[in-house]
Amino acid sequence: MYEDRIRRPALMNKLMSAEKAALLFKDGMTVGMSGFTRAGDAKALPLALVERSRQSPLHLTLLTGASLGNDSDGLMANAGVVARRMPFQADAALRRKINSGEVMFIDQHLSETAEQLRSGDLKAIDIAVIEAVAITPDGGIIPTMSVGNTANFAQQADKVIVEINLSAPLALEGFHDIYVPGNRPHRGAIPLLTPWQRMGWTSIPVHPDRIAAIVITDSPDSPSNALPPDDETDAIARHVITFLEGEVKAGRMDPSLRPLQAGIGTIANAVLHGLIDSPFRNMTMYSEVLQDSAIELLDSGQLSMASASSITLSAAMHEKFIHNLEKYRERIVLRPQEISNHPEVVRRLGIIALNTALEYDIYGNVNSTHVGGTHMMNGIGGSGDFARNGQLSIFVSKSVAKDGAISSVVPFVAHVDHTEHDVDVVVSEWGLADLRGLAPRERAPLIIENCAHPDYRPQLRAYFEEAKQGGGQTPHVLEKALSWHARYKREGSMLVK
């Protein structure tokens, strides 16, 4: 019945319901699940584990590629199934559990999880749950719309459960390039010299004996929740494009630029969308996630190819993509996230990294993760992999949030994810600050005048002038450095009335 999907006949006897497969899990296990930014995630097992937990306690350490779709993270968190979680999430219910201390969340650079598993720094995976298009005759697992950490999970797990998703077309076979680095310290270089190069397998190699269960599903990925561009994101895009035009004019790159990376979310997606009307041609992407804007750029012809670990699209764009897979097959490569985010490759290719900040300060430090310095939003994701190692590290943010009650440009960020040493350019709808080659005292006026909302500039100027009176390479008034955050918590606004 499923011969086109399960191509090794002996594995037919592994077919079972998700409820029966859930009985393989034991309390305290470490589980690796496929899924990266709501794409390629297991659909049936999370729900079955929630039901299973109602019969007997089940507390798991859950590792993924990034966030899961279909509300799976929240459902499992609310059921008490998730005791520990890494390396990234984006679910409101799980976020509440993390910030209340009920779930222990380990926030990691997305390139690091597979390395730490391989070296034994993290507890080994007991069970891997992987969504697949099909299983090859030799047991290879063909992923769906993401690869994430699944190759490493499958390599290490005692047992592998495969969810065959009938809604994922067989034509997805061939999009993937599965390459797993060797063990440190004596492994060779990753042999990737261009974004379009392929160097591995089209499926994840797994010995058939370790496939413990096969579950059939027929559910699409959750659609992207990125919002469409607005006037402010359009302005940010114009500033970035003008800046890149200047880089071309200065001879630092040609009109094809360098390979592009863009973080997940509304602002980064909108900025890439703005490139459709730019003068750049024959561009390439080497990123973590392809959003609607990447497909639009491919369709426009301005983007020649794209490499990533996941494809996360709106419902309308997903429908278009699925019905035109042959058109994209030779122009898109999906890789394990330890390759898409690998510092060695990012440095070699000279990536232009475009990521979103929650806030940045007058010296260029960036907070990507913690609201008010304490409450986790989603996680650092892959932004640090690219910010530290790319040729250009650009962070974008609207200048204010909460109807102007919060300034995204502050005297000192309440949590530092990316230090000033890893940030080249910051951008808001008001302007852009190129920080390259500037000392802290030179950075501050540029950021204040170019990027801060006009309502907040007088306060920022006053803080900087007072800070300079105390001297120092990076002037601060320590007792006032975080006073803006304290004022918002106390009064509901950072703005001095």
Side-chain angles (χ1 to χ4, degrees):
M1 182 177 178
Y2 299 111
E3 290 82 1
D4 58 340
R5 301 280 184 162
I6 305 171
R7 301 170 192 166
R8 187 179 180 89
L11 289 176
M12 287 292 188
N13 63 9
K14 301 291 186 179
L15 280 167
M16 64 181 72
S17 68
E19 291 71 26
K20 184 175 180 180
L23 298 176
L24 296 170
F25 294 78
K26 293 181 173 59
D27 190 43
M29 276 187 167
T30 298
V31 175
M33 281 191 178
S34 68
F36 193 114
T37 57
R38 300 162 64 87
D41 53 302
K43 310 298 192 296
L45 260 297
L47 298 178
L49 290 172
V50 169
E51 289 301 316
R52 158 77 197 282
S53 72
R54 291 172 180 161
Q55 309 304 317
S56 59
L58 194 62
H59 307 96
L60 305 175
T61 295
L62 178 61
L63 285 70
T64 62
S67 54
L68 301 179
N70 297 284
D71 300 321
S72 295
D73 266 326
L75 291 169
M76 288 189 288
N78 283 334
V81 172
V82 179
R84 302 177 71 81
R85 180 74 167 86
M86 67 177 73
F88 185 87
Q89 59 76 42
D91 183 274
L94 175 56
R95 187 181 302 130
R96 286 193 292 272
K97 294 286 186 178
I98 290 168
N99 287 320
S100 70
E102 296 173 74
V103 173
M104 295 296 103
F105 180 61
I106 298 89
D107 189 24
Q108 287 187 311
H109 298 297
L110 294 188
S111 67
E112 290 187 346
T113 309
E115 290 280 31
Q116 291 189 358
L117 283 168
R118 188 180 296 115
S119 61
D121 297 332
L122 299 175
K123 186 180 177 183
I125 301 293
D126 295 303
I127 296 179
V129 184
I130 301 173
E131 183 180 82
V133 171
I135 302 174
T136 67
D138 61 358
I141 299 172
I142 302 168
T144 56
M145 294 282 278
S146 72
V147 180
N149 280 320
T150 50
N152 194 268
F153 295 160
Q155 186 180 61
Q156 188 178 90
D158 292 333
K159 295 182 176 67
V160 177
I161 298 174
V162 182
E163 285 197 6
I164 299 288
N165 191 339
L166 302 181
S167 76
L170 287 168
L172 283 170
E173 185 172 0
F175 274 77
H176 312 91
D177 182 51
I178 310 300
Y179 177 91
V180 179
N183 294 331
R184 294 183 286 197
H186 302 300
R187 69 184 181 208
I190 295 172
L192 188 68
L193 302 179
T194 66
W196 53 86
Q197 185 179 341
R198 292 175 177 265
M199 54 186 178
W201 306 284
T202 56
S203 63
I204 299 170
V206 176
H207 194 286
D209 290 347
R210 290 196 296 116
I211 297 179
I214 300 173
V215 176
I216 304 299
T217 68
D218 192 6
S219 301
D221 288 334
S222 296
S224 165
N225 52 13
L227 299 173
D230 57 28
D231 290 344
E232 291 166 329
T233 58
D234 284 345
I236 292 171
R238 287 194 298 272
H239 296 315
V240 172
I241 290 167
T242 299
F243 168 76
L244 293 174
E245 288 175 337
E247 294 297 289
V248 173
K249 186 175 181 179
R252 287 187 282 270
M253 56 186 71
D254 59 40
S256 65
L257 305 178
R258 296 285 185 269
L260 300 168
Q261 176 265 336
I264 191 73
T266 297
I267 298 180
N269 184 62
V271 172
L272 279 187
H273 178 83
L275 290 173
I276 293 172
D277 296 321
S278 76
F280 310 118
R281 296 293 182 272
N282 201 33
M283 294 181 288
T284 60
M285 286 192 72
Y286 192 84
S287 192
E288 309 159 294
V289 183
L290 304 183
Q291 300 185 84
D292 283 19
S293 54
I295 306 303
E296 291 167 345
L297 282 166
L298 285 168
D299 290 344
S300 74
Q302 288 164 286
L303 189 67
S304 62
M305 71 80 54
S307 169
S309 191
S310 171
I311 303 174
T312 302
L313 305 173
S314 66
M317 185 62 77
H318 182 272
E319 188 74 11
K320 175 184 177 182
F321 178 77
I322 289 297
H323 285 93
N324 291 277
L325 288 176
E326 295 301 329
K327 171 183 173 182
Y328 299 111
R329 182 187 306 281
E330 299 305 317
R331 301 176 69 194
I332 292 177
V333 183
L334 291 177
R335 311 181 190 276
Q337 70 192 66
E338 67 172 321
I339 301 301
S340 68
N341 291 48
H342 203 288
E344 173 189 341
V345 179
V346 172
R347 180 67 61 91
R348 179 184 299 140
L349 296 180
I351 302 296
I352 298 174
L354 182 70
N355 289 288
T356 304
L358 283 179
E359 61 179 2
Y360 48 87
D361 64 33
I362 60 175
Y363 298 117
N365 300 292
V366 170
N367 174 13
S368 296
T369 59
H370 284 72
V371 176
T374 58
H375 282 56
M376 173 59 65
M377 187 65 179
N378 297 329
I380 195 170
S383 55
D385 296 321
F386 292 95
R388 166 126 333 160
N389 299 289
Q391 178 173 328
L392 274 174
S393 173
I394 303 172
F395 280 91
V396 299
S397 178
K398 293 185 179 182
S399 63
V400 292
K402 299 291 185 183
D403 296 321
I406 295 175
S407 174
S408 300
V409 184
V410 292
F412 192 32
V413 290
H415 178 91
V416 181
D417 289 296
H418 313 283
T419 73
E420 60 183 285
H421 314 293
D422 299 332
V423 179
D424 296 315
V425 177
V426 291
V427 194
S428 77
E429 73 274 22
W430 296 99
L432 177 146
D434 182 355
L435 309 178
R436 293 173 296 176
L438 300 183
R441 287 172 179 258
E442 296 171 310
R443 288 175 165 222
L446 196 64
I447 292 172
I448 293 169
E449 303 307 328
N450 287 11
C451 302
H453 191 283
D455 290 349
Y456 282 97
R457 288 177 195 169
Q459 285 178 223
L460 289 166
R461 294 182 194 118
Y463 176 86
F464 182 53
E465 289 303 317
E466 183 178 354
K468 286 192 295 182
Q469 301 308 308
Q473 158 76 0
T474 307
H476 270 301
V477 184
L478 293 180
E479 62 272 24
K480 296 183 179 179
L482 297 177
S483 63
W484 290 34
H485 301 85
R487 182 183 302 114
Y488 175 75
K489 189 174 182 180
R490 184 177 64 249
E491 301 175 9
S493 177
M494 289 185 175
L495 195 63
V496 175
K497 304 299 184 182

